[in-house]
Amino acid sequence: MNRLLHMRLKYDVMNLHGLVIIPAHTELNLEHLELLEKHDIDPLNIVVQANADERIEEVSQIIANSAAQLRNLFDSINENGKVPLMEIRTQIMPNIGQLTLCTDFFYLMNQVKAKDEYTYQHNIGVSVLSTMIGKWLNLSEDELSILTLAALLHDVGKVRIADDILLKPAKLTAEEYHQIKMHTVYGYDILKNSHDLDPRIPLVALQHHEREDGTGYPLGIKAEKLNYFSKIVAVADIFHAMSSKRPYHNPAPFHKVVKKMKEGEFGELDPYIVTIFLENMFEKMIGKEIILTDGRKGEVVFIHPNDLLSPLVRIENEFLDLSTDKSVFIQEIIDDFKG
């Protein structure tokens, strides 16, 4: 029984009558152990969470392995032009599903931010985010599976773009930028003739840079002509790209990414999908430690329904309402396992 001391419960512990005697996520102390003994609970039936180091290692390893597998599969696509759907579905998609079960959204977001091998980690991150948005939109399991695969393959056209352009740390020339934009068309060409592939998947590759007002590329089409999955992936794509380290820019501060998405500065996105994404994300921010733009640390205690970007924050023994004090913003959310 003592092995459980200071461990954190993964699930509720119930007695023989089905009553919860210790709720999930409780860190067990001596009184809890006595309670378990009193109720004749077998310690072997107690499921505890992995410690922080183990959990970080597990999620990081899943992401790293998935990115490495995706790189190999994209190399195969580049060589023979065929999409290895069976390998993607059996090797990578189960990992995406596992990652989306992580209960700490901001911990997961910190882990899926692309740091190295941007193209491949980006596809993993966008697939995780798209799948989570799909769940928040109440898509069916079959629809979620299609969306997950579409997001994994949304940038597959980049296999036809030279690395010296993709990885260029300086500003692209007009011709290089034109080449980058062609990855949408290349991706559609690669995917459109793949057998047993839902037709929405090549459309996502083609349309994920299109915008509601017709200002996107490659075709400049407007909202009514855009596939719904393309709109979801567009939201996930922008959030992940702007939150990640890329060859030509560092991650943008959290408040800037969210504000620009909300105000359409990356191009007009589907407002309903953006709202669902932001509402669910900010809901998970209550109780999280944050760093403000002035360097102070605080804890989010309340989200204003009509002003999501400006929550009420506790700083030591005082409260700061960001909805009335517009001089500071949220720079970063600290996940539970970050030093």
Side-chain angles (χ1 to χ4, degrees):
M1 188 73 77
N2 285 339
R3 74 172 180 83
L4 297 174
L5 190 62
H6 303 308
M7 301 294 282
R8 193 174 295 275
L9 291 176
K10 188 171 185 179
Y11 306 115
D12 292 338
V13 175
M14 292 181 274
N15 63 17
L16 296 176
H17 302 290
L19 298 175
V20 175
I21 59 172
I22 310 176
H25 311 305
T26 299
E27 184 176 321
L28 298 174
N29 56 31
L30 288 173
E31 291 181 0
H32 292 129
L33 299 188
E34 291 173 2
L35 187 62
L36 292 174
E37 199 166 353
K38 179 181 177 181
H39 284 270
D40 198 26
I41 305 293
D42 187 341
L44 294 177
N45 293 329
I46 303 297
V47 181
V48 296
Q49 295 178 358
N51 64 45
D53 290 340
E54 290 172 343
R55 191 173 174 192
I56 288 173
E57 178 64 26
E58 178 187 9
V59 173
S60 297
Q61 198 60 52
I62 290 173
I63 293 167
N65 289 345
S66 298
Q69 289 172 321
L70 194 63
R71 176 175 189 146
N72 291 335
L73 294 173
F74 274 28
D75 286 346
S76 171
I77 293 171
N78 192 35
E79 290 173 7
N80 57 43
K82 296 181 180 179
V83 182
L85 290 176
M86 182 63 69
E87 289 87 344
I88 293 172
R89 287 182 171 131
T90 58
Q91 295 177 20
I92 302 178
M93 287 182 64
N95 290 344
I96 302 298
Q98 187 175 349
L99 290 170
T100 62
L101 296 177
C102 180
T103 57
D104 188 327
F105 177 82
F106 292 101
Y107 162 70
L108 178 61
M109 288 303 98
N110 187 56
Q111 293 301 307
V112 299
K113 285 180 183 177
K115 303 169 183 72
D116 303 300
E117 296 283 353
Y118 175 79
T119 297
Y120 309 102
Q121 291 191 21
H122 175 65
N123 281 276
I124 300 300
V126 171
S127 188
V128 169
L129 272 169
S130 297
T131 304
M132 296 183 81
I133 295 171
K135 288 182 178 182
W136 295 334
L137 291 167
N138 297 315
L139 296 185
S140 68
E141 288 299 318
D142 287 345
E143 295 285 278
L144 276 177
S145 180
I146 295 168
L147 176 61
T148 299
L149 182 56
L152 270 173
L153 295 171
H154 80 284
D155 269 349
V156 68
K158 287 184 177 178
V159 300
R160 295 186 181 174
I161 309 293
D163 281 349
D164 60 347
I165 295 178
L166 284 177
L167 304 177
K168 185 177 179 179
K171 184 177 180 179
L172 297 173
T173 65
E175 175 56 31
E176 289 169 338
Y177 184 52
H178 173 72
Q179 281 298 310
I180 288 287
K181 291 197 292 185
M182 286 298 294
H183 80 275
T184 55
V185 177
Y186 297 152
Y188 179 77
D189 287 342
I190 290 168
L191 297 173
K192 67 179 180 181
N193 295 319
S194 296
H195 297 296
D196 301 322
L197 200 62
D198 188 283
R200 288 170 289 185
I201 293 175
L203 278 180
V204 168
L206 181 68
Q207 296 179 348
H208 65 277
H209 284 287
E210 300 286 5
R211 296 296 178 257
E212 298 289 297
D213 56 0
T215 59
Y217 67 84
L219 301 176
I221 56 180
K222 293 187 176 182
E224 62 274 10
K225 294 185 178 180
L226 292 175
N227 179 265
Y228 191 52
F229 285 2
S230 300
K231 298 182 179 192
I232 295 173
V233 173
V235 172
D237 181 50
I238 285 177
F239 182 82
H240 187 267
M242 297 310 299
S243 301
S244 299
K245 180 178 176 57
R246 304 180 71 178
Y248 47 87
H249 75 66
N250 289 319
F254 176 80
H255 72 95
K256 287 189 177 180
V257 176
V258 173
K259 183 174 185 292
K260 288 183 177 182
M261 286 183 68
K262 191 175 177 66
E263 296 179 355
E265 290 191 34
F266 301 119
E268 187 179 339
L269 300 166
D270 184 291
Y272 180 70
I273 295 172
V274 171
T275 298
I276 291 296
F277 173 57
L278 294 182
E279 285 180 348
N280 279 273
M281 180 169 62
F282 275 88
E283 180 183 289
K284 299 176 188 307
M285 196 181 292
I286 296 176
K288 302 298 289 185
E289 188 178 8
I290 60 170
I291 299 175
L292 298 172
T293 48
D294 62 6
R296 287 181 292 173
K297 288 185 179 181
E299 178 189 350
V300 175
V301 295
F302 180 74
I303 302 294
H304 299 288
N306 298 321
D307 192 358
L308 297 175
L309 281 62
S310 305
L312 180 66
V313 177
R314 180 190 292 117
I315 302 175
E316 296 181 346
N317 296 321
E318 298 181 353
F319 291 92
L320 175 64
D321 192 341
L322 300 185
S323 69
T324 57
D325 185 343
K326 296 296 186 179
S327 64
V328 289
F329 306 93
I330 298 174
Q331 178 80 11
E332 181 183 356
I333 295 93
I334 303 176
D335 66 62
D336 288 345
F337 306 106
K338 193 170 182 178

